[in-house]
Amino acid sequence: MADDAEVPDLSEAPVPGPEDELAQEQQDDSGPADRTDAEGDPTSRAECDEREEDGKGYDDLRRVLGQRVYNNFYGAVDASGAAFGFGSAAAPGLAPGSVGSDEVDRALRYYLPPQPCFHEALDKLRSEHLVVLAGPDSSGRGAGAFALLREVRGERTGLRSLSPANSLAELATASALKADQAYVILDYVGEMNVDAVQAFEIRRLSEELRRKGSYLVITAPEATRRRLALQDHCVPWQAPDPLELFDHARQLAPSADIPPDVLAELLERVADLRRPADVVDAVTGLADGLDTALKMLRDNEKELVRNWFREEPSAGDLLPLAALAFLEGIPERNFEKASVLLGIHVRDWEQTGEIPAAEPDATATTALRGVTFEQTRARWKERATGLVCTERRPGPGQDTSRSERRLVFATSRIRALVIGELHDLYGYELWYPLRQWLSQLSRLPDLDIRTEVARGVALYARHALAEVDENLLQVWADGLAGQRVTTALTLQFMCDDEHLAPQALNLALSWADNRGPARAVTTAMALTGTLGSLYRLEALNWLWFLTNRGERMASAARRSLVLLLQTAEQEPARALFTLRYVRTRVADTAQRSKARSLALRTTVQLLAAERLEGPGTLAAALLRDTPGSARHLGLLWVSVLLSVCRRGAVRALCQTLAALRDDPSAADAVRALGEAMRDGMTPRQWQALGNDLPNALRHPDYAIPGTRQLAQVLLGSLRS
């Protein structure tokens, strides 16, 4: 992986191959495998079947990611309780890359350094140029890292966030770090390789930082303090006192006078807060009125959920609510069937009367005896008053005449609170059959059910990540296509929590190499969508690495690269980054090598890809809506036109021109595309394209008014 995963120099323009003329018409190698060639070979036939199943999995992914991307861009988004996701901004520094000084200013607007840990960390950073802030999640570690780097680098200093999956030993190399820089790694997840970072390598990193006048702050969970290699650099981190932070923030955000009795209640409730972000929210909430601030602090939703569980509900009430936590929003008729299945799993578990040897340390804190299977719909009015409601809505792509009843939680936050209470109150006697039930659901053909299972498991991972990893994700990642899709979606939804996002990346990458082709395909699936958007360079590097592995893994990786670009259609910066990455990778391959052949196959698939939602090719949409894409697309087209993939490249170019034919503003984009292609081709190659493209446009699919005119605009650029 080392050679394939090196970070390319994305600032250099790729140099086209040395071919002087367009290749003669040859068999295009960008098409799917020919199953007839494998009919006499059982091994090849089995591989074709596996790739076909993988293809069905990618169809499912496209459906889910398409709905998620476009719902977030064009519909109302309820982001309450979520850290980020498609359509909302990531926490500062979470996505690797530059963090501007304005972003740092916003993150530190109400910052109060906790003592004495802040001064201890500052002294260590100044002396060693490296410090690790080890403490609980949501204790202000990220803001603390920003504040420390500001202290040593100056007020208007920006910083650079590095990937949490980075190897600290590799960072110590001379080329990895630049001089006079401020670096941060948020929520460091540890080393990916078997060989753990040793103490001398950490010292080497510290010396390299000191030599270059740069500084690195790492934030990590409390368990990091037990790692021998990092012990000397760790500082136990804690949140500031909530009342001190409340007073500090009130001075920076003055509000109206607060009556003494109301202030007393405010202070009493603020004293119980453990997250600095919640304290700041309480202060900023005062601007909306005392009632709003008190309502937020009283946290009626949390109290409502806790009160429901304090009444020790019967299994007949508990099991449907537990089922809903993992199946919210599916049609009620489907939910009832799934809820009955959960009851059957619990009954079967009770009848065994023993603990499976696989999990001998299981304990039960709340008994679940006397299971019933009552599913009277009217019972929901008394079963979960205030927690659950019903609504009628159609499924995706259906009109209102197909709407049907669905059970949903009163708010999105209640679902997460219910899963938290289930984890805190109930033990093995509930969770063992619940996990068996979830595994059964992960194999169902119903994509809506599997998507909701993934959402629920992602919420459960906030409380029991090790259990989710060992008992669910690792098994599903090597399972059937539907289970692998469920695993990939779970990792996507885990990215909605800023502290789980690095863990999701770590899990995905742990299956990429030497863990079997099925798990590698799961990695490729997981690196699409939110995960690939957040950790874009890691995703592209690993997917490119997989395109050079076995054909099953390579095929999956190419599909994932296409999906990454499709989901970036509404994000110009990410789309341009992806195009530039592929363009540079193609340029770095040797002519007539196997690596170049594989790179060209990937390029043809990208250029011919359809949009995730809506008609037309993705290249046409990027040319129309993403300034700067014409140059990258033009040079990519040149690379495949000057190869045995020429036929696929010409076909993709015709499809793109046909998709743009009705857009009056497309002429400028097509002209820019032609100019980029002209710059990458010789006069003889221009002339060959000028002959071949009009011939290809005679095909009935492209012989449409307007397409030839656009072709003339493009060829006019080539002939000028």
Side-chain angles (χ1 to χ4, degrees):
M1 172 63 198
D3 293 336
D4 292 272
E6 288 180 359
V7 178
D9 184 357
L10 301 178
S11 63
E12 294 292 329
V15 180
E19 296 92 335
D20 190 49
E21 296 184 11
L22 285 171
Q24 296 300 311
E25 191 73 28
Q26 299 185 38
Q27 176 65 38
D28 183 9
D29 68 354
S30 64
D34 188 352
R35 291 180 60 91
T36 60
D37 295 340
E39 288 180 355
D41 185 346
T43 302
S44 298
R45 187 163 58 249
E47 183 175 335
C48 287
D49 291 340
E50 290 172 340
R51 289 172 60 190
E52 186 175 320
E53 285 299 305
D54 293 341
K56 294 177 182 177
Y58 275 96
D59 289 340
D60 288 346
L61 275 179
R62 275 190 288 271
R63 284 174 56 192
V64 176
L65 294 178
Q67 293 169 17
R68 196 174 195 205
V69 170
Y70 284 82
N71 284 344
N72 277 313
F73 276 106
Y74 300 123
V77 180
D78 178 12
S80 59
F84 67 95
F86 274 137
S88 57
L94 184 60
S98 298
V99 184
S101 58
D102 292 342
E103 290 183 89
V104 177
D105 288 342
R106 286 192 294 272
L108 299 179
R109 181 181 178 187
Y110 300 105
Y111 187 70
L112 177 66
Q115 301 299 348
C117 59
F118 186 86
H119 279 153
E120 180 183 350
L122 184 60
D123 291 341
K124 192 174 291 289
L125 182 61
R126 282 173 170 159
S127 61
E128 303 292 334
H129 287 239
L130 169 66
V131 68
V132 180
L133 310 183
D137 289 343
S138 303
S139 59
R141 298 180 315 213
F146 295 165
L148 288 168
L149 291 171
R150 273 285 174 89
E151 284 289 330
V152 297
R153 293 290 302 163
E155 278 299 316
R156 297 302 300 169
T157 299
L159 53 95
R160 187 161 190 84
S161 175
L162 304 177
S163 168
N166 267 327
S167 165
L168 299 184
E170 291 177 1
L171 286 178
T173 60
S175 60
L177 299 173
K178 297 181 179 180
D180 300 320
Q181 296 291 316
Y183 293 102
V184 64
I185 299 179
L186 299 181
D187 296 304
Y188 177 61
V189 295
E191 298 303 313
M192 289 295 304
N193 300 322
V194 175
D195 297 329
V197 174
Q198 300 299 316
F200 76 90
E201 292 172 325
I202 298 297
R203 287 197 299 272
R204 189 159 61 93
L205 173 59
S206 176
E207 291 169 359
E208 183 67 17
L209 287 163
R210 188 184 298 109
R211 186 177 70 83
K212 292 185 174 179
S214 296
Y215 297 87
L216 171 62
V217 180
I218 300 172
T219 71
E222 289 181 288
T224 305
R225 293 169 55 192
R226 296 193 294 270
R227 294 187 58 195
L228 295 177
L230 290 172
Q231 269 187 354
D232 293 340
H233 299 276
C234 281
V235 172
W237 196 257
Q238 63 185 24
D241 180 83
L243 293 178
E244 292 180 6
L245 178 58
F246 184 77
D247 290 338
H248 173 74
R250 281 193 65 198
Q251 294 175 15
L252 297 176
S255 58
D257 292 336
I258 303 174
D261 57 332
V262 177
L263 180 60
E265 182 181 355
L266 275 173
L267 295 177
E268 180 182 356
R269 295 188 178 276
V270 166
D272 293 332
L273 298 178
R274 292 295 174 263
R275 289 165 34 102
D278 292 339
V279 178
V280 172
D281 286 344
V283 174
T284 56
L286 291 172
D288 298 325
L290 292 175
D291 292 340
T292 301
L294 281 173
K295 182 179 179 180
M296 180 177 62
L297 285 170
R298 287 166 182 161
D299 202 345
N300 294 336
E301 292 174 346
K302 181 183 289 187
E303 199 64 25
L304 185 67
V305 172
R306 285 184 174 176
N307 287 339
W308 191 88
F309 280 96
R310 285 194 189 108
E311 295 179 2
E312 298 187 3
S314 66
D317 287 339
L318 177 65
L319 292 184
L321 190 71
L324 188 64
F326 292 91
L327 289 179
E328 181 186 16
I330 68 171
E332 190 172 39
R333 55 190 171 86
N334 295 338
F335 171 76
E336 289 175 344
K337 296 176 186 177
S339 185
V340 168
L341 285 177
L342 176 58
I344 292 173
H345 278 286
V346 172
R347 183 195 62 192
D348 292 346
W349 157 241
E350 285 187 341
Q351 290 177 349
T352 63
E354 59 182 352
I355 297 173
E359 295 181 89
D361 297 329
T363 58
T365 57
T366 301
L368 287 171
R369 302 295 175 181
V371 176
T372 62
F373 301 110
E374 178 183 321
Q375 290 295 318
T376 304
R377 295 177 178 179
R379 278 290 308 278
W380 281 105
K381 295 179 181 178
E382 58 189 50
R383 173 181 285 145
T385 304
L387 300 182
V388 179
C389 58
T390 60
E391 62 178 38
R392 297 189 67 89
R393 68 169 185 261
Q398 296 179 341
D399 58 38
T400 54
S401 65
R402 302 286 295 177
S403 63
E404 53 187 319
R405 275 173 40 126
R406 300 167 189 264
L407 292 168
V408 296
F409 287 102
T411 69
S412 60
R413 186 162 176 261
I414 287 179
R415 181 180 188 177
L417 291 171
V418 166
I419 289 178
E421 291 294 317
L422 289 171
H423 170 262
D424 292 341
L425 296 177
Y426 296 90
Y428 189 74
E429 204 165 26
L430 172 65
W431 282 103
Y432 176 76
L434 192 55
R435 290 198 301 269
Q436 299 298 108
W437 174 71
L438 290 171
S439 291
Q440 181 181 6
L441 297 182
S442 72
R443 297 190 292 269
L444 296 179
D446 191 320
L447 178 59
D448 291 338
I449 285 179
R450 288 185 283 122
T451 301
E452 288 308 311
V453 166
R455 291 187 205 273
V457 172
L459 291 173
Y460 183 46
R462 299 180 182 182
H463 307 278
L465 178 61
E467 182 176 316
V468 166
D469 176 27
E470 295 172 11
N471 296 314
L472 297 177
L473 299 185
Q474 286 194 35
V475 179
W476 298 352
D478 197 31
L480 302 173
Q483 291 180 298
R484 287 184 274 116
V485 171
T486 307
T487 302
L489 292 176
T490 300
L491 296 180
Q492 303 287 349
F493 295 134
M494 283 171 61
C495 290
D496 290 340
D497 183 298
E498 62 182 277
H499 298 296
L500 277 183
Q503 300 290 349
L505 176 67
N506 190 44
L507 289 175
L509 298 187
S510 70
W511 304 324
D513 202 13
N514 297 322
R515 295 293 301 277
R519 286 194 174 99
V521 171
T522 305
T523 295
M525 289 178 169
L527 291 177
T528 58
T530 310
L531 195 60
S533 171
L534 184 63
Y535 301 109
R536 58 189 65 172
L537 188 55
E538 283 83 358
L540 290 169
N541 278 335
W542 280 93
L543 289 175
W544 199 265
F545 165 70
L546 290 175
T547 61
N548 290 272
R549 301 295 302 277
E551 182 52 36
R552 183 185 177 191
M553 292 178 279
S555 175
R558 289 193 293 269
R559 292 175 187 266
S560 290
L561 284 166
V562 169
L563 254 180
L564 267 181
L565 189 59
Q566 287 172 325
T567 58
E569 181 184 332
Q570 304 294 331
E571 301 177 65
R574 185 158 69 92
L576 291 176
F577 184 89
T578 304
L579 292 173
R580 188 157 55 118
Y581 180 95
V582 175
R583 179 172 62 82
T584 305
R585 280 295 200 180
V586 172
D588 287 343
T589 57
Q591 295 294 332
R592 299 179 179 85
S593 64
K594 180 181 178 181
R596 186 170 185 85
S597 175
L598 295 172
L600 292 174
R601 290 185 66 180
T602 301
T603 303
V604 169
Q605 284 191 227
L606 286 172
L607 294 175
E610 298 290 320
R611 297 178 63 198
L612 196 58
E613 290 287 328
T617 65
L618 178 61
L622 294 175
L623 283 170
R624 182 175 53 241
D625 302 324
T626 305
S629 63
R631 176 171 174 268
H632 300 296
L633 288 169
L635 292 175
L636 285 175
W637 248 301
V638 167
S639 66
V640 288
L641 283 168
L642 306 180
S643 73
V644 294
C645 297
R646 177 172 66 93
R647 184 166 60 183
V650 172
R651 182 169 59 247
L653 187 57
C654 291
Q655 292 168 343
T656 297
L657 293 175
L660 291 170
R661 69 185 186 278
D662 294 328
D663 188 346
S665 63
D668 290 339
V670 171
R671 186 175 293 108
L673 177 67
E675 290 172 353
M677 295 170 67
R678 178 194 61 195
D679 292 341
M681 302 172 78
T682 68
R684 294 180 66 186
Q685 292 164 353
W686 302 342
Q687 183 178 0
L689 181 63
N691 294 331
D692 290 349
L693 185 58
N695 291 334
L697 288 173
R698 293 185 182 131
H699 190 281
D701 290 344
Y702 316 128
I704 308 169
T707 306
R708 282 189 171 276
Q709 285 82 346
L710 279 182
Q712 290 171 1
V713 172
L714 183 139
L715 294 174
S717 300
L718 296 175
R719 290 169 173 165
S720 61

